[in-house]
Amino acid sequence: MPHRLVLLAILLAILLLGLAAAALGQSATTFTVGTASAARGQKATGAIEVPAGSDAALSIPVAVVNGAKPGAVLALVSGAHGTEYTSIVALEKLIGLLDPAEITGTVIIVPLVNVPSFEHKTPHVNPVDGKSMNRWYPGKMDGTETDRASYMITRQVVERCDHLIDLHGGDLDESLRPYSYWTVTGNAKQDAMSREMVLAFGLDHIIISADRPSDPNASRYLENTASTRGKPSITAEAGHGGTVETDDLNALINGCLNVMRFLKMLPGAPAIIEHPVWIEKVATVASDQTGVFYPLVRRGTYVEQGMKVGYVTDYVGKTIFEARAPAAGVVLYVCAVPSMTKGATIANIGVVTRDPAKTGQSHSGAIR
């Protein structure tokens, strides 16, 4: 009888170990971000819940597309500025387009970070605390709503992914031509991977960005938060002046899908952009007067140094400032509205380099 009890105990232990292993295996195939939890081969939506602090709580929408096969984890984020509508709509549509059965790996999609900006039609900043939601990473929980949201995104999105794409575009007052950023970190392997990602994304103007903060504890920008943590990542921009145009929308959607092909997350060969325009730095034209702005160039116009790109009048029509290009290059964006204040950006000029291996010193004011 004692031998039978020992044998029964051994069999029971084996059974329990088997059940535990099965449960562990099931857990390993489930990917959770915020309240969105998707089993292998499934798609789920939910929210990253930012708790209240010195100001209101915030619920940031999120989707998890957990592919049928394990692989890389790619994060797609947009809406840090809630009136850059094209990027937000692009990711909303991608949530519906992506089929987990076709995907190897996992995609985290955060289509709208700055919900208050979107709902209140407030450009550039979070109206709750007046902060840009792409300037305060990696965030902190004892700060304002933007700080807390940045912290939660760092922990739940950036630290969970292998690669990140941050989508932006022209805000309500910005007429912007599409372009992307390639961040040079000095890590040759990481930089080579992010370079291939930006070429796969497919926008034909690429800013070489080599002046972003290197301290992961003071990373400032979302994409830089991923890059300083060793994750090859890029930023891409399309859309302008509050519009959602088909060409801009398709550029962002197809760019994300093509990077997924490059990362072997989707079947098929990626289409790599050939001979893009590489931009070594961004020169900002700022107004030294408050008044009414009149542009003389359009987004995408090529200008020479000293060329007049616009002018500002007072409120009775007298010209009080002439804006001239500080360098030759391409107009990446120009102010899209007549309202102009002293110190505000009139235009950003991208200075073209003939050497794509050259590291740039892109002006920090151009970073979205």
Side-chain angles (χ1 to χ4, degrees), residues 42-347:
Q42 299 294 319
K43 183 190 303 186
T45 59
I48 298 171
E49 300 293 351
V50 180
S54 59
D55 45 25
L58 177 63
S59 184
I60 299 173
V62 65
V64 174
V65 186
N66 200 358
K69 298 177 182 178
V73 178
L74 173 66
L76 306 174
V77 183
S78 66
H81 307 118
T83 49
E84 294 178 357
Y85 296 120
T86 301
S87 59
I88 297 164
V89 174
L91 289 194
E92 182 191 44
K93 288 187 176 296
L94 265 176
I95 293 170
L97 285 171
L98 292 178
D99 181 357
E102 298 178 351
I103 293 173
T104 298
T106 303
V107 186
I108 305 167
I109 303 178
V110 183
L112 179 56
V113 172
N114 196 342
V115 177
S117 164
F118 182 88
E119 293 180 346
H120 292 275
K121 303 181 183 69
T122 303
H124 307 300
V125 299
N126 178 355
V128 172
D129 56 15
K131 294 179 177 179
S132 167
M133 295 195 78
N134 195 31
R135 292 295 186 278
W136 297 90
Y137 286 95
K140 56 183 181 179
M141 288 305 292
D142 60 349
T144 63
E145 185 176 270
T146 294
D147 297 307
R148 300 193 307 277
S150 299
Y151 180 88
M152 297 289 286
I153 291 170
T154 298
R155 293 287 178 260
Q156 298 209 29
V157 178
V158 176
E159 293 183 355
R160 302 288 309 282
C161 73
D162 301 308
H163 309 280
L164 183 143
I165 301 175
D166 188 17
L167 297 184
H168 289 267
D171 218 320
L172 291 178
D173 56 351
E174 297 170 344
S175 180
L176 175 146
R177 67 142 295 132
Y179 56 85
S180 53
Y181 288 93
W182 172 45
T183 297
V184 177
T185 67
N187 180 320
K189 184 177 180 180
Q190 179 178 333
D191 293 347
M193 173 64 81
S194 60
R195 186 179 189 274
E196 292 302 311
M197 287 174 63
V198 81
L199 291 173
F201 198 92
L203 299 184
D204 60 8
H205 283 60
I206 302 171
I207 298 172
I208 305 168
S209 182
D211 64 348
R212 298 195 183 189
S214 59
D215 181 358
N217 295 315
S219 49
R220 192 167 169 80
Y221 311 100
L222 173 60
E223 185 244 296
N224 195 52
T225 302
S227 295
T228 55
R229 285 159 175 75
K231 301 167 188 286
S233 302
I234 63 172
T235 298
E237 307 216 19
H240 57 95
T243 63
V244 181
E245 296 186 357
T246 301
D247 288 350
D248 292 329
L249 190 63
N250 287 342
L252 296 182
I253 292 172
N254 292 334
C256 291
L257 293 174
N258 211 42
V259 171
M260 290 180 66
R261 294 185 188 98
F262 166 72
L263 295 174
K264 309 297 184 186
M265 299 179 73
L266 283 176
I272 304 299
I273 188 73
E274 295 184 358
H275 308 296
V277 176
W278 294 93
I279 296 168
E280 66 176 346
K281 65 178 180 179
V282 178
T284 296
V285 184
S287 178
D288 70 358
Q289 297 291 333
T290 293
V292 182
F293 172 63
Y294 293 87
L296 295 175
V297 295
R298 296 184 177 185
R299 59 193 176 97
T301 302
Y302 275 76
V303 298
E304 290 296 326
Q305 184 176 6
M307 181 176 171
K308 191 192 296 187
V309 296
Y311 61 96
V312 179
T313 70
D314 62 17
Y315 296 134
V316 293
K318 179 184 176 181
T319 299
I320 55 176
F321 178 68
E322 291 185 347
R324 296 184 179 273
V330 57
V331 177
L332 297 175
Y333 79 79
V334 61
C335 182
V337 297
S339 304
M340 183 57 61
T341 56
K342 185 176 180 178
T345 299
I346 284 176

Side-chain angles (χ1 to χ4, degrees), residues 12-24:
L12 183 59
I14 292 172
L15 177 62
L16 290 173
L17 285 171
L19 290 172
L24 183 62

